[in-house]
């Protein structure tokens, strides 16, 4: 069996979150659900996510009868089950009896009962109660033939500042630093007389009430919160896994999530999955949101370097964005096939049936309040179900990325915390997207990695704003370039070490030699302000042109690097704006400001052509993307049109059209929001 198959079957699964616990008083509806699922081509559901109050209505009194009934019904209809542990939301009895489980805010306020993901992940009582219910679930269902995976909790997130967490934080710090002397040095605590002389003096950061200026403290609290959440999740995994070690575990991640470092978190999971809710029809530029979403899919695949699951998406609209725009016809198919193109092997929606009441009654769902599938949305979901059934061969295949983008969460925390040079916003994700987008629109596959990931398998590594250089990253970049790799760095890189202490002896610190520059100062521009950057034939015939820089301007001196473009405004006119350093067998570029799209278009084209990276489109077509997955013998090409106009793509060679089941060659026309999945032998 292909070890890359998430659920052990050569199938692209299709399904949703299913919340039958909300409908136990409506047996006729539960009865109808299964027939409708078959009609929609749904063959997998996540259940039990928020079911604790129905499973343990009173402390120690359990009722599994309804879940037994639902799982049997699903099984009888061939629908697979991803069984959730219910720790995402607590029953009221638990909070009332054991208030220590309630989360404490940064302002040291204990939350009331209500909502979800607002418990203390340190609380021994909470961990014990979760263990009891999880053990019961595992005893009962771990070997059920319908159950294919565990779904641990739901969307872990947030920080707790309660006394239990303060103690755990101090334990974490003792382990990390060993002595207060080391901690004081790492946190530069002599500043403002903030030296710690006893571990008990350490408190988690609090913007309104206490400490938030010690950057090392802020950073370590985020690291601690990642570790603590992982520890909680691991405890859940360790409870359920022994009952059936073959059942994979996951927990659902979120869009470029800030609270935790997912590169750490993914280590304890068997596969990754995420909940994707892009604002498809809010932006004027349809390519922007398409490549932003693609970048997130690539991150989810890269976390474990294998196929992932789209655990949630909406089939029509959300109800929690400022604007609840409907997905236009075609968009449901297009967005789901985009996920498959980037490595998803199961496509699941939130949720099966709209809740009748409470806060998600107007959130999109497969079954609307009308109760059948003969709706615009229902018909498209059915169509998608049919298409996914024809893509079985794609399951377990790989995306072959020769390029990587470094997007590092710990770096992002440190960047935002830095207090200067631009507190008005550093736009880190947007700058990453600037570069990603140029690769995406050429159909170049990209892994989204962080500073801890290996670099050697790539030909091109683009690493914008690596302000914080963690561990041996600098050394590994040197080796990568020395051995022939092409590396792209930008302004505000190589400034602090992993404790957030500035590098002494000249920026960009450990990257100085490989980039061949000294970064002396950085100028901050206002929102919308631009500086002129020029390149001429003497500097670089290829980059010849006039461009605009924005955001930040590093003022650098080339040491061994060659200048390819210069600033043409302000007092730094004539200084280097783009450099290239030949280092060993490779090249390292430095882009000193946020350059405009015409520069990025030129620059990335030169890189892609120079390295002869595999491109799935011979030239960019506005609004269109093409991505491929590969088996040993076949290529599967996914083409999507994110624009409101029909687009024509010229195919090189002959393909089999897996959606329409016919051969194709020559020109392929895609309708607005249309998509195609083609295969050809390798
Ligand atoms: C999240 C949650 C779901 C649901 C959706 C709504 O992803 O996991 O339970 O609330 O949001 O978009
Ligand atoms: Zn706590």
């Amino acid at each position: 069996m292909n070890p890359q198959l998430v659920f052990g079957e050569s199938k692209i699964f299709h399904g949703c979150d299913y919340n039958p616990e909300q409908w136990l008083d409506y047996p006729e509806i539960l009865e109808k659900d299964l027939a409708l699922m078959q009609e929609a081509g749904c063959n997998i559901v996540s259940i039990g996510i928020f079911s604790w109050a129905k499973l343990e209505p009173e402390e120690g009194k359990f009722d599994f009868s309804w879940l037994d009934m639902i799982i049997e019904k699903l099984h009888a209809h061939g629908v697979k089950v991803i069984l959730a542990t219910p720790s995402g939301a607590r029953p009221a009895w638990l909070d009332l009896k054991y208030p220590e489980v309630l989360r404490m805010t940064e302002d040291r306020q204990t939350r009331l009962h209500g909502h979800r993901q607002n418990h203390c992940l340190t609380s021994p009582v909470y961990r014990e109660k979760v263990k009891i219910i999880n053990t019961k679930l595992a005893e009962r269902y771990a070997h059920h033939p319908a159950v294919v995976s565990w779904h641990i909790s739901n969307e872990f997130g947030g920080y707790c500042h309660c006394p239990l967490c303060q103690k755990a934080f101090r334990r974490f710090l003792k382990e990390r630093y060993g002595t207060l002397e080391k901690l004081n040095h790492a946190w530069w605590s002599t500043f403002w007389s903030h030296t710690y002389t006893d571990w008990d003096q350490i408190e988690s950061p609090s913007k309104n009430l206490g400490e938030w200026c010690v950057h090392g403290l802020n950073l370590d609290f985020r690291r601690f919160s990642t570790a603590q959440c992982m520890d909680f999740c691991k405890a859940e995994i360790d409870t359920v896994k022994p009952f059936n070690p073959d059942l994979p575990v996951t927990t659902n991640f979120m869009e470029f999530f800030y609270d935790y470092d997912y590169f750490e978190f993914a280590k304890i999971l068997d596969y990754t999955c995420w909940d994707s809710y892009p604002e498809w029809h809010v932006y004027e530029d349809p390519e922007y949101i398409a490549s932003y979403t693609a970048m997130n899919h690539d991150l989810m695949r890269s976390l474990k370097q294998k196929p992932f699951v789209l655990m949630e998406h909406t089939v029509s609209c959300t109800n929690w964005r400022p604007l609840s725009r409907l997905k236009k016809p075609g968009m449901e198919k297009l967005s789901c096939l985009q996920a498959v193109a980037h490595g998803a092997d199961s496509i699941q929606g939130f949720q099966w049936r709209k809740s009748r009441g409470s806060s998600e009654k107007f959130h999109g769902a497969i079954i609307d309040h009308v109760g059948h599938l003969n709706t615009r949305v229902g018909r498209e979901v059915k169509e998608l179900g049919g298409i996914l059934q024809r893509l079985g061969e794609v399951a377990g295949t790989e995306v072959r990325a020769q390029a990587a983008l470094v997007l590092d969460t710990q770096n992002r925390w440190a960047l935002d915390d830095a207090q200067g040079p631009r507190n008005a916003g550093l736009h880190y994700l947007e700058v990453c997207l600037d570069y990603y987008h140029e690769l995406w629109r050429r159909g170049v596959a990209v892994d989204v990695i962080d500073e801890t990931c290996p670099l050697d398998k790539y030909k091109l590594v683009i690493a914008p704003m690596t302000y914080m250089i963690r561990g041996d990253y600098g050394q590994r970049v040197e080796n990568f370039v020395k051995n022939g790799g092409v590396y792209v760095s930008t302004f505000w890189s190589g400034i602090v070490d992993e404790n957030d202490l500035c590098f002494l002896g000249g920026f960009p610190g450990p990257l100085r030699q490989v980039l061949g520059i000294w970064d002396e100062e950085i100028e901050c521009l206002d929102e919308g302000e631009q500086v002129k950057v020029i390149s001429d034939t003497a500097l670089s015939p290829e980059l010849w042109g006039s461009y605009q820089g924005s955001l930040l301007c590093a003022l650098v001196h080339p040491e061994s690097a060659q200048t390819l473009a210069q600033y043409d405004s302000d007092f730094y006119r004539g200084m280097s704006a783009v450099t290239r350093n030949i280092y060993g067998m490779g090249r390292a570029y430095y882009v000193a400001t946020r350059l405009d799209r015409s520069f990025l278009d030129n620059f990335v084209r030169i890189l892609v052509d120079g390295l002869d990276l595999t491109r799935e489109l011979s030239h960019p077509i506005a609004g269109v993307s093409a991505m491929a997955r590969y088996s040993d013998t076949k290529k599967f090409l996914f083409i999507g049109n994110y624009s409101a106009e029909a687009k024509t793509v010229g195919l090189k060679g002959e393909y089999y059209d897996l959606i329409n089941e016919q051969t194709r060659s020559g020109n392929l026309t895609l309708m607005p929001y249309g998509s195609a999945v083609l295969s050809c032998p390798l």
Side-chain angles (χ1 to χ4, degrees):
M1 193 179 78
N2 179 349
Q4 301 290 59
L5 291 172
V6 185
F7 302 126
E9 271 184 71
S10 284
K11 190 166 173 175
I12 301 292
F13 283 86
H14 181 219
C16 52
D17 275 19
Y18 182 36
N19 300 102
E21 70 277 12
Q22 294 176 21
W23 300 95
L24 297 179
D25 300 335
Y26 297 70
E28 67 292 354
I29 286 198
L30 291 178
E31 206 44 59
K32 255 174 127 180
D33 278 344
L34 276 304
L36 287 170
M37 277 181 199
Q38 290 202 310
E39 194 184 334
C42 287
N43 48 34
I44 196 159
V45 291
S46 289
I47 57 173
I49 295 171
F50 298 117
S51 296
W52 198 339
K54 283 280 184 224
L55 294 172
E56 192 181 359
E58 281 175 54
E59 186 175 11
K61 291 220 167 102
F62 299 92
D63 176 9
F64 294 99
S65 57
W66 65 271
L67 190 55
D68 288 350
M69 180 260 294
I70 295 289
I71 292 185
E72 283 317 321
K73 265 184 203 264
L74 291 164
H75 181 48
H77 289 79
V79 180
K80 296 295 182 198
V81 169
I82 299 177
L83 186 56
T85 64
S87 67
R90 308 171 309 276
W93 58 257
L94 203 156
D95 288 359
L96 215 64
K97 182 154 175 204
Y98 306 103
E100 77 160 54
V101 307
L102 298 168
R103 188 168 288 188
M104 189 176 272
T105 66
E106 199 183 313
D107 288 341
R108 306 324 190 235
Q109 291 278 322
T110 303
R111 304 274 302 262
L112 298 178
H113 170 74
H115 216 264
R116 55 184 181 177
Q117 277 307 342
N118 56 357
H119 18 265
C120 170
L121 297 178
T122 306
S123 156
V125 171
Y126 193 55
R127 287 178 174 226
E128 180 58 21
K129 291 293 162 196
V130 170
K131 189 173 179 182
I132 294 170
I133 185 80
N134 285 1
T135 305
K136 299 256 177 213
L137 284 169
E139 275 169 358
R140 210 170 177 95
Y141 304 111
H143 285 281
H144 195 287
V147 176
V148 292
S149 173
W150 288 108
H151 175 305
I152 304 293
S153 198
N154 191 69
E155 294 192 338
F156 280 114
Y159 303 155
C160 179
H161 297 260
C162 80
L164 292 167
C165 287
Q166 300 297 344
K167 277 200 188 136
F169 181 38
R170 288 172 203 138
R171 278 198 301 275
F172 170 88
L173 294 171
K174 269 188 203 160
E175 218 161 276
R176 185 172 168 85
Y177 294 104
T179 65
L180 276 176
E181 206 185 345
K182 284 198 179 132
L183 174 138
N184 278 313
H185 180 266
W187 289 5
W188 209 250
S189 59
T190 315
F191 177 80
W192 288 353
S193 221
H194 285 182
T195 309
Y196 295 93
T197 53
D198 191 315
W199 294 96
D200 286 339
Q201 294 161 358
I202 300 172
E203 271 279 327
S204 62
S206 174
K207 192 120 193 176
N208 295 322
L209 304 178
E211 188 64 85
W212 59 276
C213 291
V214 178
H215 296 164
L217 164 71
N218 299 347
L219 191 59
D220 280 336
F221 187 64
R222 294 191 191 281
R223 288 178 176 140
F224 159 75
S225 298
T226 297
Q228 199 65 358
C229 186
M230 283 173 65
D231 188 63
F232 182 90
C233 181
K234 184 73 173 49
E236 289 211 48
I237 294 171
D238 290 346
T239 305
V240 297
K241 195 95 181 186
F243 287 88
N244 180 357
D246 293 336
L247 266 193
V249 295
T250 195
T251 185
N252 45 344
F253 284 170
M254 290 169 271
E255 176 185 315
F256 296 117
F257 195 55
Y258 199 80
D259 297 358
Y260 311 137
D261 179 352
Y262 279 168
F263 276 93
E264 283 298 314
F265 210 137
K267 290 177 185 160
I268 61 169
L269 307 176
D270 292 314
Y271 66 96
T272 57
C273 66
W274 79 291
D275 302 343
S276 170
Y277 292 98
E279 296 178 274
W280 287 112
H281 303 295
V282 169
Y283 293 91
E284 259 172 47
D285 178 359
E287 277 197 6
Y288 167 81
I289 197 72
S291 65
Y292 175 80
T293 306
M295 182 162 83
N296 213 140
H297 286 314
D298 284 342
L299 167 64
M300 289 298 142
R301 185 193 67 251
S302 305
L303 287 172
K304 290 200 86 74
Q305 294 284 340
K306 67 178 203 184
F308 63 94
V309 166
L310 181 65
M311 188 57 89
E312 292 180 25
H313 75 281
T314 179
V315 293
S316 58
C317 59
T318 60
N319 71 331
W320 46 267
R321 296 268 195 201
L323 304 174
S324 303
R325 299 298 300 256
L326 296 176
K327 275 172 139 171
K328 297 193 195 296
M331 202 66 215
E332 165 65 357
K333 282 180 285 171
L334 175 62
S335 61
C336 292
L337 291 172
Q338 177 191 37
V340 180
H342 288 268
D345 277 4
S346 186
I347 298 298
Q348 297 164 224
F350 176 85
Q351 57 176 325
W352 167 248
R353 190 182 273 280
K354 279 187 183 172
S355 305
R356 186 162 186 201
S358 206
S359 78
E360 285 173 342
K361 62 181 182 290
F362 297 124
H363 191 290
I366 297 175
I367 305 292
D368 210 326
H369 297 293
V370 70
H372 56 65
L373 278 166
N374 194 14
T375 56
R376 183 183 70 88
V377 168
R379 287 190 293 274
E380 190 166 330
V381 170
K382 274 161 66 170
E383 231 187 288
L384 173 70
I387 293 170
L388 295 178
Q389 273 168 26
R390 278 167 252 152
L391 302 188
E393 277 182 296
V394 177
T397 60
E398 27 168 29
V399 171
R400 295 182 181 164
Q402 299 169 318
L405 174 89
V406 178
L407 197 166
D408 188 290
T409 304
Q410 297 199 18
N411 175 53
R412 191 174 164 202
W413 294 337
L415 271 167
D416 288 346
D417 218 23
Q419 298 182 266
R422 201 171 191 286
N423 301 337
L426 288 163
H427 305 296
Y428 175 56
L429 280 187
E430 288 97 318
V431 175
C432 288
L433 185 59
D434 283 352
Y435 289 87
Y436 178 89
H437 182 75
E438 290 302 325
L439 295 165
W440 175 86
R441 58 196 280 270
R442 292 177 161 79
V444 174
V446 184
D447 279 351
V448 176
I449 62 174
D450 80 352
E451 290 184 14
T452 64
C453 299
L455 305 175
D456 303 329
K457 62 186 226 187
Y458 305 107
K459 290 183 177 176
L460 172 66
V461 172
I462 302 185
M465 299 171 85
T466 53
Y467 163 77
M468 171 179 276
I469 303 291
R470 300 204 275 139
D472 62 353
Y473 179 69
Q475 185 60 51
R476 288 188 296 109
V477 172
E478 278 192 6
N479 293 341
F480 169 71
V481 180
K482 215 180 267 169
N483 295 329
V486 172
Y487 185 80
V488 178
S489 176
T490 73
F491 56 93
W492 213 221
S493 290
I495 309 295
V496 298
D497 69 11
E498 67 181 31
N499 291 323
D500 219 340
L501 294 177
C502 292
F503 289 115
L504 301 179
F507 300 140
L511 300 177
R512 183 166 174 181
Q513 217 179 329
V514 67
L515 294 171
I517 51 153
W518 169 41
D519 172 7
E520 185 181 350
E521 286 184 282
I522 189 145
E523 168 68 319
C524 166
L525 302 183
D526 204 343
E527 217 57 43
E529 188 182 349
Q530 297 193 318
V531 297
K532 210 169 148 193
V533 168
I534 50 159
S535 179
D536 58 26
T537 41
L539 293 173
S540 163
E542 291 178 301
L543 278 177
W544 182 89
S546 173
Y547 309 105
Q548 298 293 338
S550 60
L551 197 70
L552 290 167
C553 296
L555 308 185
V556 305
H557 307 279
E559 293 179 323
S560 52
Q562 183 194 345
T563 298
L564 304 181
Q566 304 174 329
Y567 291 112
D568 195 34
S569 5
D570 219 308
F571 69 91
Y572 40 97
R573 165 176 285 148
M575 287 186 83
S576 308
V578 181
T579 63
R580 179 184 54 205
N581 194 37
I582 311 284
Y583 190 79
M585 294 189 299
R587 281 168 288 150
Y589 292 85
Y590 183 81
V591 183
T593 178
R594 185 178 184 190
L595 280 162
D596 59 20
R597 281 174 86 162
S598 78
F599 170 82
L600 291 166
D601 179 27
N602 268 347
F603 181 56
V604 173
R605 179 178 41 76
I606 292 165
L607 296 174
V608 170
D609 287 351
L611 289 164
D612 198 22
L613 300 185
T614 306
R615 272 146 289 188
E616 306 299 348
L617 279 175
S618 50
H619 60 93
I621 303 170
V624 173
S625 92
M627 282 291 141
R629 290 181 67 172
Y630 293 86
S631 72
D632 289 343
T633 54
K634 275 191 180 174
K635 165 175 165 174
F636 301 94
L637 180 63
F638 292 74
I639 310 179
N641 175 10
Y642 295 88
S643 77
E645 295 109 49
K647 298 277 166 155
T648 300
V649 180
L651 298 176
K652 277 187 276 170
E654 189 164 285
Y655 286 89
Y656 184 69
D657 178 336
L658 291 162
I659 298 184
N660 299 300
E661 306 186 286
Q662 63 188 85
T663 51
R664 294 249 183 219
S665 58
N667 280 347
L668 174 76
T669 298
L670 293 173
M671 288 301 143
Y673 311 115
S675 25
V677 187
L678 310 169
S679 76
C680 69
L682 280 182

